[in-house]
Amino acid sequence: RHTFRLQRAAVADGERVGLVDDWFETGSQGLIARQLVERAGASYVGASIIVNQLSAERRRALAPCHSLVDARELNFP
């Protein structure tokens, strides 16, 4: 079981927040982070990742989502 938390003092109302990560496999953690940011009153502005392994549906849910390389380019299953 995982617990996700966002320190309320880290995000102020009206701030713009982007997610940065090395690898999005399913995007579940990214979606949770987006929800926490929005509940804190900030605006989600997108995600930047190095390796993208997201389904098209999850990529749309995290849009705009920019990546450097697709996992398939790395011959990753």
Side-chain angles (χ1 to χ4, degrees), residues 10-55:
V11 180
D13 276 349
E15 282 191 322
R16 296 167 42 90
V17 177
L19 304 178
V20 178
D21 204 344
D22 59 347
W23 195 304
F24 274 8
E25 186 174 350
T26 65
S28 297
Q29 292 178 8
L31 289 174
I32 292 167
R34 178 181 183 163
Q35 290 174 358
L36 290 173
V37 163
E38 290 172 343
R39 286 183 193 163
S43 296
Y44 170 80
V45 295
S48 294
I49 52 178
I50 296 173
V51 180
N52 170 29
Q53 194 177 350
L54 297 171
S55 68

Side-chain angles (χ1 to χ4, degrees), residues 3 25 45 68 70:
T3 301
E25 186 174 350
V45 295
L68 294 177
D70 191 282

